[in-house]
């Protein structure tokens, strides 16, 4: 039996992962701001605002007191911010970083001492296709997910000696409430110049796409279970055909651009001076 610690467990991916884990016979420490999650012998529902470090430590301690360990940490809590980078206010930017980045760090720091002690564990950091490619209109949100990806890569190397694995989960557009006002903030300071540009048009796309996304959330939750139970889980786990297509396109674009600018890129080494003067 694995013991899961899931943030944002009251809805969306968090609720579905909780359901899948319990169905598999695992135990779940299900956390949310308002943890109305149901009742189950293997379920401990705990109130947690991920921006509150003391509360994160209390939730982790309560989970270990109940189940004895934490095997899987799913850092799922987060929300989106839609609008051009210039349109976002300092307050909006600080608020989304407080949840998507600093909140993830606070929960991770609260759980890691237990995982290090048991010399095992698996951390799932939820990113997005927006953490691999920056879409217009999603710049600030994407920057939080780029931060999650960078942190996760470093943590994977840092935690490997302790038997702790790290996986970056990269969902594309899934049919959850992510594009609804419960999970998505929209910068109210709309600048007229952006109307008709990709950033401006993204506002309309998000409204039209809500609940028409191609991804099936239940299949993602089942896929998470398959991945967690694998012998060698990946560092990055993309979900959704749209995510796979964008990763392939982004990789090809980077490779193409590098081939054009490769000589200038490598010309800055000291060794190039010696070669040029020979």
């Amino acid at each position: 039996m694995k013991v899961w610690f899931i943030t944002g467990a009251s809805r969306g991916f968090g609720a579905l992962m909780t359901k899948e884990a319990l169905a598999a016979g695992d135990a779940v420490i299900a956390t949310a701001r308002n943890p109305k999650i149901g009742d189950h012998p293997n379920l401990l529902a705990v109130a947690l605002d991920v921006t509150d470090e003391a509360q994160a430590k209390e939730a982790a301690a309560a989970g270990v007191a109940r189940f004895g360990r934490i095997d899987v940490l799913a850092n799922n809590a987060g929300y989106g911010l839609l609008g051009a980078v210039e349109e976002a206010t300092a307050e909006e930017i600080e608020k989304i970083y407080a949840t998507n980045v600093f909140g993830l760090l606070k929960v991770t720091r609260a759980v890691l001492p237990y995982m290090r002690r048991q010399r095992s564990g698996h951390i799932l950091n939820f990113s997005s296709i927006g953490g691999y490619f920056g879409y217009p209109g999603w710049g600030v949100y994407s920057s939080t997910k780029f931060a999650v990806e960078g942190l996760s890569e470093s943590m994977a190397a840092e935690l490997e000696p302790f038997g702790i694995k790290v996986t970056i989960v990269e969902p594309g557009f899934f049919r959850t409430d992510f594009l609804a006002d419960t999970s998505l903030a929209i910068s109210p300071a709309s600048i007229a110049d952006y109307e008709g540009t990709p950033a401006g048009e993204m506002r309309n796309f998000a409204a039209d796409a809500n609940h028409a996304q191609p991804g099936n959330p239940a299949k993602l939750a089942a896929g998470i279970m398959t991945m967690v139970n694998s012998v060698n889980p990946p560092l990055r786990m993309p979900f959704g055909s749209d995510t796979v297509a964008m990763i392939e396109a982004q990789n090809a674009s980077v490779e193409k651009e590098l081939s054009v600018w490769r000589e200038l890129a490598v010309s800055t080494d000291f060794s190039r001076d010696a070669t040029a003067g020979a």
Side-chain angles (χ1 to χ4, degrees):
M1 181 185 77
K2 289 185 173 67
V3 179
W4 295 63
F5 187 109
I6 301 175
T7 66
S10 62
R11 55 192 173 89
F13 294 144
L16 290 169
M17 285 189 292
T18 298
K19 180 180 178 182
E20 287 282 345
L22 291 173
D26 291 344
V28 180
I29 305 151
T31 72
R33 288 175 185 260
N34 299 300
K36 298 177 180 178
I37 300 168
D39 189 33
H40 189 283
N42 286 351
L43 174 67
L44 174 65
V46 182
L48 173 60
D49 176 347
V50 298
T51 67
D52 187 329
E53 188 158 18
Q55 200 174 43
K57 290 179 179 178
E58 290 169 4
V64 172
R66 170 73 176 272
F67 298 115
R69 58 190 294 118
I70 297 173
D71 298 300
V72 182
L73 166 60
N75 278 312
N76 165 71
Y79 69 95
L81 177 63
L82 179 57
V85 172
E86 185 183 1
E87 293 173 330
T89 65
E91 182 180 2
E92 288 172 326
I93 294 167
E94 290 168 6
K95 185 177 179 181
I96 194 171
Y97 265 83
T99 295
N100 291 9
V101 180
F102 304 138
L104 177 146
L105 284 169
K106 288 173 181 177
V107 173
T108 301
R109 286 198 300 267
V111 170
L112 270 178
Y114 301 106
M115 287 187 171
R116 282 191 292 101
R117 185 179 66 190
Q118 66 201 30
R119 286 298 193 264
S120 66
H122 193 175
I123 298 173
L124 312 180
N125 285 335
F126 272 71
S127 176
S128 159
I129 182 54
Y132 202 88
F133 172 83
Y135 285 89
W138 295 98
V140 173
Y141 168 74
S142 287
S143 73
T144 67
K145 296 305 183 180
F146 269 74
V148 168
E149 301 235 353
L151 287 166
S152 300
E153 285 193 9
S154 295
M155 286 169 54
E158 292 171 356
L159 298 176
E160 184 178 12
F162 309 118
I164 301 169
K165 300 180 184 298
V166 178
T167 295
I168 306 163
V169 180
E170 298 171 326
F173 283 98
F174 275 75
R175 205 165 295 181
T176 65
D177 290 330
F178 178 74
L179 295 178
D181 57 8
T182 53
S183 297
L184 178 66
I186 300 177
S187 294
S190 178
I191 298 173
D193 258 358
Y194 287 104
E195 293 180 11
T197 71
E201 290 173 353
M202 185 58 73
R203 289 175 179 257
N204 296 326
F205 164 79
D208 295 339
N210 190 28
H211 294 137
Q213 302 96 320
N216 183 331
K219 289 184 177 180
L220 182 144
I224 290 288
M225 294 298 296
T226 299
M227 185 266 295
V228 164
N229 289 315
S230 66
V231 175
N232 188 27
L235 172 61
R236 280 185 168 81
M237 185 64 240
F239 283 104
S241 59
D242 53 342
T243 302
V244 171
M246 183 54 69
I247 287 174
E248 291 173 342
Q250 179 74 339
N251 288 348
S253 175
V254 170
E255 184 176 359
K256 181 179 178 181
E257 187 170 68
L258 180 59
S259 69
V260 173
W261 293 96
R262 184 180 186 86
E263 281 305 313
L264 181 59
V266 301
S267 69
T268 53
D269 292 356
F270 278 112
S271 60
R272 287 286 180 160
D273 297 335
T275 302

